[in-house]
Amino acid sequence: MYEKFYGLHTKPFSILPDPDFIFWSRSHALAFGMMEYGVLNGAGFTVVTGEIGCGKTTLIRELLRKVSGAVTIGVLSNTGPQGGDLMRWILMSLGQPYEAPSGVTLYKQFQDFLFAEHARGRHVLLIIDEAQNLGAVMLEELRLLSNLNADGDQLLQLILVGQPELKQLLEAPELKQFSQRVSSDFHLSRLNQRDFVNYIEHRLSVAGATRALFTQEALDLVYKASRGVPRLVNIICDTAMIYGYANDSQTISHDIIQMVLRDKKKYGALSLDTDLEAENMIVPRLVQS
């Protein structure tokens, strides 16, 4: 909609996970390093946590691009306490049959699959996104699955990625044995103010921008409203560029950001969880009669 107006070839602030736009803040680089270390060194469990919208799923996408061909990967993102039999979800993610009625048969299928992959010189990596939804019972099932090994080699590696609730869950006394199996872990933090500015510049540059499109005052307000959470940054900035386009404004100003925040608070279906007040509002042409 506004790409041509601002001299861009794509939208810079989509909320869809896209590794082409990944920004390597120190926190993101360390989190990715932990995930990559787990894969390369045969770690049993790797755990990465972070707040909603901090870029965890984007890191998973980047890992999938970089993992070598010697790894067979399954990715789960929608299982949970009400999600059905965990073993069926795992087999489905790995492209294996999962229709057998018996849990014992399913386990045998999975075990045979792991040994067959090992015989081919491959190992199996299972990545579980939104892992805080698993609950203690399913996490214990995963721990038991990780006991499968051959000649000292780990047949199954697991990377669990989730919200802060996952960290709290793993600290529960009943999951002490699980926690002791975690080889590497990291909590992904929000962007600090310097990383935030670099994040904005990076995404605009990848999208084709050749000049600054946001004033410093606008950026300051976006950072305050988003609290450095990348997904909120993207939502605010994308909407602001729509408003700027509607008002024929070549630069996104402080006033435009204020208007976005005011309208999100007043008319939006979902709150941005901000109490920032809007002043000196301008009315976008799109809504003028």
Side-chain angles (χ1 to χ4, degrees), residues 69-126:
V71 184
T72 300
I73 305 174
V75 180
L76 284 176
S77 59
N78 59 350
T79 188
Q82 307 302 320
D85 190 312
L86 179 61
M87 184 58 69
R88 296 186 192 278
W89 284 100
I90 293 173
L91 288 168
M92 181 180 68
S93 75
L94 294 165
Q96 299 301 301
Y98 57 91
E99 294 85 3
S102 167
V104 175
T105 303
L106 290 169
Y107 180 83
K108 181 65 165 56
Q109 284 180 204
F110 182 62
Q111 180 178 260
D112 290 347
F113 173 74
L114 292 181
F115 279 106
E117 291 298 286
H118 178 71
R120 296 172 56 205
R122 303 176 64 83
H123 67 273
V124 177
L125 170 65
L126 180 64

Side-chain angles (χ1 to χ4, degrees), residues 6-7 26 36 44 58 80 84 95 103 114 121 145 175 180 183-184 200-201 250-251 256 289:
Y6 287 110
R26 183 174 184 273
E36 197 170 32
T58 303
L114 292 181
L145 290 178
L175 288 173
Q180 291 175 347
S183 301
S184 54
I200 295 288
E201 292 176 352
Q250 289 291 326
T251 303
I256 291 176
S289 57

Side-chain angles (χ1 to χ4, degrees), residues 30-49 59-60 63 123 125-129 131 134 139 142 146 154 156-162 166-167 170 178-187:
L30 287 172
F32 185 80
M34 289 294 181
M35 295 166 71
E36 197 170 32
Y37 172 84
V39 175
L40 296 177
N41 291 276
F45 284 95
T46 299
V47 175
V48 173
T49 58
L59 291 181
I60 292 174
L63 185 68
H123 67 273
L125 170 65
L126 180 64
I127 302 173
I128 303 181
D129 198 4
L134 289 172
L139 286 172
L142 289 175
S146 73
Q154 188 84 36
L156 176 65
Q157 293 179 264
L158 295 105
I159 296 178
L160 305 185
V161 180
L166 174 61
K167 184 176 182 293
L170 295 179
F178 185 103
S179 297
Q180 291 175 347
R181 294 285 187 90
V182 176
S183 301
S184 54
D185 63 284
F186 191 82
H187 182 75

Side-chain angles (χ1 to χ4, degrees), residues 267-279:
Y267 304 113
L270 301 175
S271 171
L272 287 179
D273 190 26
T274 175
D275 292 326
L276 295 175
E277 295 297 331
E279 301 174 356

Side-chain angles (χ1 to χ4, degrees), residues 33 167 216 243:
K167 184 176 182 293
Q216 185 59 55
Y243 278 40

